[in-house]
Amino acid sequence: MSHTVTRIRLAVIAAAAGVAVLAGCSSPAPSGKASVASCAPAKGKVTLQYWNTVPGMDQVVALWNKKNPNIQVTTKNISNDQYGTLGNALKAGKAPALAQVGYDELPNLRTQNAFVDASACSAATAAKSKFAPWTWSQTSFAGTGVFAFPQDTGPMALYVRSDIFKQHGLKIPTTWDEYAADAQKLHDADANLSMTFFDPNNAEWFNGLLWQNNAEMYGYSSDKWHVTVASDQSKQVAEYWQKLIAAKLVRTDLANGSTQMYAAYQKNQIASYVGAAWGYSMFRDNLPKQAGKWTIVPMPTWGSNAASGDWGGSTVAFMKGNTHLYESVKFNSWLNTDPEALALENKLGGLYPAATAGSELPALSQGVPYYNNEKIFDVFADSSKNIDTSFSWGPTQKTVNLALQDAMAKAAAGSGTLTDALSAAQAAALKSMKEQAIPAVAGK
């Protein structure tokens, strides 16, 4: 996710039969062949297109262009319809050289042969050591090539309106049980005050909650996928939020990042936000008058398990048709590992770097004025360390997310439950895999 506040999903494109991919640490190799291009340097000036959704990225690119007159980059913001725009460009054979792609979208696009393998460039394979291992595994598809460089991640935490908590005598909740109890206390004290909101149209956020509870959505063994979207761990998360929704302790009428969401926070109607590292700039930039009223703390846990989840994060992928791999690798490496670039991306776009060098940035080790000068990135760094790095996305995650969102929206409206939504998403995954001739069975 990415830091993209609301993702508009690319319509399902029929994938080549027989392709099976997994973007996780224990991934099997995909059976399809990726496009491979030459890594020979161009003889003259080169201009690369880079499409993304990150606020302020044009300023980051301008910095590169100033330093690299022979490798110029043009940037296009496609946040209004990220995957629709990219999908149409791929179909027309007019994809950019580089594009922002979320980790969970990589397997979907991989089945469509949307990427070019950059491993012909020694600098591309050497970049592995510069990123958090789990992020590199997702971009290389278990060592079968280099299709993208990690850009950012979304370790999750709890954003708290400390003034509202103090007003109602609440301590910071450390477990989900405590969080639910506090939600009830707030609602009892003020019927117009909710602990948080549940966005039924945001499967990526919900997937982050599942991730925290070690709810593996997919496994791969004996040459087939084991789909476990509706596992017991997933159901525990679903049932928890279903109870909060049924008791009207959380709102379900707000979309993440929407004008209505910010208005609710502005009116002091919501006391917390379950979000990711990239969200810190959302409140800073959209609710400036609440500076000093927010604190960021570890996400509530299931019992004593310190596990956290990841919501979003993206890569910069080498797109099909890229004929300037050498130059693309140079820019991509600078964009996602250079300290000056990383600092600017964090400042302007709120990105939490996937590069290991990111943790050493002065901006990520200092207090943040909006958050009462607290060292909020220490919280996200700890969260990142507690993320299950073996969590994997399946090759039809797009279909799963769409089915999940459709059923969650119905549940929020009183038709069915969130547990039903998990079952619907699992059925959609199995159906989609069968249609694409990808061997799969329902797992537990």
Side-chain angles (χ1 to χ4, degrees):
M1 154 237 77
S2 122
H3 32 275
T4 320
V5 172
T6 303
R7 279 186 162 172
I8 304 177
R9 293 289 178 183
L10 170 63
V12 177
I13 303 173
V19 178
V21 293
L22 173 62
C25 294
S26 57
S27 313
S31 58
K33 289 288 185 179
S35 301
V36 180
S38 167
C39 196
K43 295 181 179 179
K45 184 176 179 179
V46 169
T47 298
L48 306 172
Q49 286 190 60
Y50 165 42
W51 294 0
N52 65 87
T53 69
V54 184
M57 187 55 76
D58 55 333
Q59 296 182 49
V60 181
V61 169
L63 177 63
W64 164 269
N65 287 338
K66 183 178 180 180
K67 296 182 176 184
N68 298 271
N70 291 326
I71 306 176
Q72 293 290 285
V73 179
T74 61
T75 182
K76 178 181 179 179
N77 189 294
I78 55 172
S79 56
N80 286 336
D81 189 3
Q82 182 178 2
Y83 295 109
T85 302
L86 193 56
N88 290 334
L90 284 165
K91 284 191 251 184
K94 297 181 179 180
L98 299 159
Q100 177 187 350
V101 177
Y103 293 106
D104 62 338
E105 289 288 344
L106 286 171
N108 295 321
L109 289 173
R110 174 72 173 96
T111 63
Q112 300 163 34
N113 194 26
F115 309 126
V116 63
D117 183 0
S119 59
C121 300
S122 59
T125 55
K128 178 179 179 179
S129 63
K130 299 179 180 180
F131 297 96
W134 74 270
T135 63
W136 186 264
S137 295
Q138 298 211 9
T139 62
S140 66
F141 296 101
T144 61
V146 180
F147 305 96
F149 282 176
Q151 182 165 73
D152 73 309
T153 61
M156 298 179 76
L158 181 66
Y159 293 62
V160 172
R161 273 289 299 274
S162 50
D163 58 329
I164 295 179
F165 268 57
K166 184 177 180 180
Q167 176 188 348
H168 292 279
L170 301 180
K171 295 181 179 179
I172 298 296
T174 59
T175 67
W176 285 115
D177 283 344
E178 291 176 359
Y179 188 72
D182 286 345
Q184 186 67 60
K185 292 176 183 176
L186 285 177
H187 194 65
D188 288 345
D190 183 350
N192 294 317
L193 180 59
S194 300
M195 174 59 88
T196 191
F197 69 98
F198 183 99
D199 181 358
N201 294 304
N202 198 322
E204 293 174 328
W205 173 78
F206 191 71
N207 290 339
L209 299 177
L210 300 182
W211 194 334
Q212 182 201 22
N213 201 31
N214 297 317
E216 294 284 350
M217 300 174 77
Y218 307 91
Y220 192 90
S221 62
S222 303
D223 298 322
K224 65 172 67 75
W225 288 87
H226 296 260
V227 183
T228 53
V229 175
S231 68
D232 289 343
Q233 292 93 331
S234 294
K235 290 177 181 177
Q236 182 182 12
V237 176
E239 290 168 0
Y240 174 87
W241 287 95
Q242 184 64 49
K243 288 179 180 178
L244 293 183
I245 292 172
K248 301 188 182 304
L249 300 183
V250 298
R251 291 178 60 170
T252 58
D253 61 333
L254 302 174
N256 188 68
S258 65
T259 301
Q260 293 80 3
M261 183 202 83
Y262 291 120
Y265 280 108
Q266 185 66 56
K267 296 175 183 177
N268 304 320
Q269 295 174 346
I270 306 180
S272 70
Y273 173 79
V274 181
W278 45 263
Y280 91 96
S281 61
M282 290 169 43
F283 291 91
R284 179 198 66 188
D285 298 343
N286 291 281
L287 297 171
K289 293 183 180 180
Q290 292 187 357
K293 296 182 178 180
W294 286 92
T295 187
I296 297 177
V297 299
M299 191 155 70
T301 60
W302 297 100
S304 59
N305 186 349
S308 189
D310 182 275
W311 172 20
S314 291
T315 71
V316 177
F318 301 97
M319 302 305 295
K320 182 180 181 180
N322 186 326
T323 57
H324 294 293
L325 271 186
Y326 177 84
E327 292 78 15
S328 295
V329 168
K330 287 194 70 172
F331 170 70
N332 206 345
S333 180
W334 174 86
L335 183 71
N336 292 308
T337 66
D338 181 84
E340 190 174 10
L342 295 178
L344 198 55
E345 290 160 25
N346 175 261
K347 178 182 179 181
L348 299 175
L351 301 192
Y352 187 79
T356 52
S359 62
E360 301 171 4
L361 292 176
L364 297 185
S365 61
Q366 299 172 354
V368 178
Y370 182 85
Y371 294 93
N372 208 28
N373 290 314
E374 294 174 6
K375 295 183 178 182
I376 63 171
F377 291 107
D378 286 352
V379 177
F380 292 120
D382 288 340
S383 173
S384 186
K385 294 174 184 176
N386 289 322
I387 292 172
D388 176 10
T389 58
S390 67
F391 187 91
S392 305
W393 302 110
T396 58
Q397 188 62 37
K398 179 195 299 94
T399 300
V400 170
N401 283 351
L402 289 171
L404 187 60
Q405 288 172 176
D406 180 63
M408 287 198 304
K410 291 177 180 177
S415 177
T417 66
L418 295 181
T419 300
D420 295 334
L422 290 173
S423 298
Q426 171 143 330
L430 292 168
K431 181 175 183 290
S432 179
M433 289 184 186
K434 181 179 180 180
E435 290 173 347
Q436 298 181 42
I438 300 175
V441 296
K444 294 181 179 181

